[in-house]
Amino acid sequence: MKKVLQIMFIGIICWYTYTEYGDFKRASLFDVTKVSVKSKNLELIDDLVNSIKNLEGKNILEIDKKKMKDKILEDVRVKEVVIKTQMPDILLFDINEKEPSVYIEYNGKFYVSDELGKIYGYMKESKKYNMPLFRIDHEEEIKEFITIMKKISFKDEISQIYKVSNGIAITTNTGLKIITNIDVNKKKYGVVKVLYDQVKLQNNKEQKVEYIDLRFEDYIIKRIEGDQR
């Protein structure tokens, strides 16, 4: 009988604690009054920010931060997110969105892509950056162009990359065209850097270099404007 009374007593204590704590959790003291979002480019993720702001008024103790984090990371624009609570009623979000690497023109529209070639927004939604433009007809061309960009040491000088007959064209900010393909090795682009520095000087003169062709295995062709060869 004594054991039964002990069990009943423990049960009553547990039930009382649960009901009291439950009421405590539901107290309006813990209703979210402020959602703070920190991000480098809030305009790019404005719709995501608005959905996060909807957490205002919800009980801070009942918000599953892990579930919320996983949901935010599903957004292709987001790279990392940290969620913190500032008790009793403030939620803090630190969102690290993906860094833009290239613009992409595809089917008449302009997009922003990260360094891996993942499209995550429209050019018009983003701040203006000094980045190359990939003009593509097929999505798989993005990875080809990125592979080429990784071999080039003068990326900041690249204006556009696009497909041409039997190759890929790279145009620079000075207007020089470099004809290449996916198989050209990194060493050749090192030679091109030297040639490019020379071309920038030469193109200030009357005779301009039209293009440099890297597609041949053992040599590089540099065509001068007006050259009939």
Side-chain angles (χ1 to χ4, degrees):
M1 183 67 179
K2 184 177 180 181
K3 188 174 183 179
V4 172
L5 289 174
Q6 287 178 335
I7 292 172
M8 289 178 63
F9 178 76
I10 292 171
I12 291 170
I13 293 298
C14 290
W15 175 252
Y16 175 80
T17 301
Y18 171 78
T19 54
E20 287 299 310
Y21 178 67
D23 290 340
F24 179 70
K25 280 179 65 177
R26 289 189 292 271
S28 60
L29 172 69
F30 298 103
D31 289 347
V32 177
T33 60
K34 181 180 179 182
V35 178
S36 175
V37 182
K38 180 182 176 183
S39 175
K40 289 182 180 178
N41 190 359
L42 289 174
E43 292 181 0
L44 183 63
I45 56 170
D46 58 347
D47 55 329
L48 179 59
V49 172
N50 289 336
S51 67
I52 293 173
K53 292 285 188 180
N54 288 335
L55 293 171
E56 290 184 6
K58 297 186 181 298
N59 190 294
I60 201 168
L61 298 175
E62 295 177 352
I63 294 173
D64 188 333
K65 289 193 290 184
K66 184 182 183 305
K67 187 176 180 180
M68 177 64 63
K69 178 179 179 178
D70 291 341
K71 185 177 181 181
I72 292 173
L73 288 174
E74 290 176 0
D75 193 304
V76 295
R77 298 166 295 182
V78 177
K79 186 176 183 179
E80 296 174 330
V81 60
V82 176
I83 305 174
K84 295 181 180 179
T85 52
Q86 186 174 307
M87 298 301 287
D89 58 358
I90 297 176
L91 276 174
L92 306 173
F93 289 79
D94 189 351
I95 299 176
N96 183 8
E97 64 267 38
K98 291 180 178 177
E99 289 291 332
S101 181
V102 297
Y103 292 123
I104 293 175
E105 180 185 357
Y106 180 50
N107 286 339
K109 295 182 179 179
F110 293 87
Y111 303 93
V112 177
S113 166
D114 64 14
E115 69 277 7
L116 299 177
K118 186 74 174 180
I119 292 174
Y120 64 91
Y122 289 97
M123 181 191 290
K124 63 184 179 181
E125 296 175 338
S126 173
K127 294 187 293 185
K128 300 303 179 185
Y129 298 93
N130 181 25
M131 304 189 303
L133 171 68
F134 291 178
R135 291 165 52 193
I136 66 169
D137 296 315
H138 308 283
E139 290 188 40
E140 58 268 22
E141 292 172 5
I142 298 175
K143 290 186 177 180
E144 290 184 18
F145 295 175
I146 285 178
T147 299
I148 290 172
M149 286 287 291
K150 288 179 179 178
K151 301 175 185 179
I152 299 174
S153 62
F154 50 101
K155 297 178 181 64
D156 292 342
E157 298 283 345
I158 303 302
S159 174
Q160 295 185 34
I161 302 183
Y162 54 94
K163 279 285 183 75
V164 293
S165 178
N166 298 321
I168 296 169
I170 302 171
T171 59
T172 69
N173 295 331
T174 62
L176 173 68
K177 182 184 290 185
I178 302 167
I179 310 297
T180 185
N181 60 42
I182 194 70
D183 298 320
V184 172
N185 61 46
K186 188 174 182 178
K187 185 177 180 180
K188 267 196 172 182
Y189 289 103
V191 177
V192 170
K193 176 65 169 70
V194 176
L195 291 174
Y196 177 67
D197 289 340
Q198 294 174 358
V199 165
K200 283 196 293 186
L201 296 175
Q202 291 173 356
N203 279 0
N204 290 327
K205 303 175 183 178
E206 290 184 6
Q207 201 174 37
K208 296 181 180 293
V209 175
E210 287 189 2
Y211 66 82
I212 297 173
D213 198 331
L214 309 180
R215 292 175 293 177
F216 302 94
E217 185 175 351
D218 299 321
Y219 55 92
I220 294 173
I221 294 177
K222 182 173 72 171
R223 188 179 191 280
I224 306 296
E225 188 179 70
D227 192 341
Q228 298 303 316
R229 291 176 295 172

